[in-house]
Amino acid sequence: MLDTVPRSAPDQGPAVVVRRSRMLLSPWFRFAVLIAVLGAAATVVLLYEPQRLLADGWPEQLRGGTAVVLFAVAYGLCATAFVPRPLLNLAAGALFGSAFGLAAALGGTVLAAGASFALGRLLGQDALRPLLRGRWLKAADGQLSGHGFRSMLAIRLFPGVPFAVANYCAAVSRMRASSFLLATAVGSVPNTAAYVIAGSRATSPTSPAFLLATGFIVVTAVGAGVLAWRERHRLPGRRP
């Protein structure tokens, strides 16, 4: 009886596995996974608005340290999914007051920053770094890669750059994760505290604490704009 099975068939299995493995590990496949994950997270936020659950639907029986930790985890997940941090900071202040609210908000901020940085570094860096060719992109990458802690500290202190954008730009750069997280933890304190205090005093908008907190928010926003206006002259290749 004639053998109708091609003799090369047994040799095709390992080759197919190798090709598929290379495809799954390729930079652009991982980048596509990152886009899918972020798109799904943004869709969940738009459909279910989890920030309302934190502000209005938080279980009353949850008190003390356990509640602060759970809120910080929920804050981190929401901020990673593009829920605006000011809303979460106001909710933290309204639920826990100034001190515990600040602890919960800062913990959630660092958690969200670390998660975003890890996603960007693992799934996006290899695909996006070869695309850093423009003057502005090269300048930003050089600043973050060469002066990581100082640059991220300035970004957090003067929050003109959106939180998620700063996280993923840092992930694509060569900034060290330790510098990124430390600068985020330190630099996020003033602005986060202002929002938390405003949230804790929202029922008395004429109180000195509320007025000082909102004034600080306005001043830092204006300062961020002024700093960005001045720094534009330092971009390489710009004519005086």
Side-chain angles (χ1 to χ4, degrees):
M1 180 182 294
L2 296 177
D3 187 3
T4 58
V5 178
R7 297 186 179 276
S8 59
D11 298 331
Q12 293 179 356
V16 172
V17 172
V18 170
R19 286 197 298 269
R20 290 179 179 176
S21 300
R22 288 178 178 176
M23 182 190 72
L24 294 176
L25 295 175
S26 67
W28 284 106
F29 180 84
R30 284 183 282 139
F31 181 67
V33 172
L34 176 62
I35 296 300
V37 170
L38 297 181
T43 302
V44 169
V45 168
L46 292 175
L47 292 178
Y48 297 101
E49 298 183 340
Q51 67 274 15
R52 290 190 177 183
L53 176 64
L54 295 182
D56 305 327
W58 189 255
E60 295 183 359
Q61 61 270 25
L62 285 178
R63 301 295 181 189
T66 302
V68 172
V69 172
L70 290 177
F71 184 91
V73 173
Y75 181 119
L77 294 175
C78 289
T80 305
F82 308 112
V83 174
R85 286 183 59 248
L87 296 179
L88 300 174
N89 293 333
L90 292 172
L95 289 172
F96 302 108
S98 300
F100 289 108
L102 178 59
L106 281 178
T109 296
V110 175
L111 178 61
S116 301
F117 186 90
L119 286 172
R121 180 62 57 89
L122 295 174
L123 300 178
Q125 187 187 48
D126 291 340
L128 294 180
R129 281 205 64 81
L131 303 180
L132 300 178
R133 299 174 182 175
R135 176 169 55 89
W136 283 58
L137 293 177
K138 285 185 176 180
D141 177 65
Q143 188 69 22
L144 290 173
S145 299
H147 310 281
F149 178 83
R150 184 177 67 187
S151 300
M152 188 53 56
L153 184 64
I155 290 174
R156 300 308 192 195
L157 287 173
F158 297 95
V161 180
F163 181 71
V165 173
N167 295 338
Y168 289 107
C169 286
V172 173
S173 75
R174 292 191 173 94
M175 179 189 297
R176 292 185 299 176
S178 57
S179 299
F180 170 77
L181 292 176
L182 181 59
T184 296
V186 175
S188 298
V189 171
N191 198 262
T192 302
Y195 277 100
V196 169
I197 294 172
S200 66
R201 301 291 192 275
T203 56
S204 54
T206 58
S207 64
F210 182 86
L211 294 176
L212 286 174
T214 53
F216 180 84
I217 293 170
V218 173
V219 169
T220 54
V222 173
V226 173
L227 183 63
W229 177 263
R230 293 182 59 183
E231 287 295 322
R232 84 193 196 285
H233 294 291
R234 300 184 183 183
L235 290 174
R238 182 179 176 88
R239 296 180 180 180

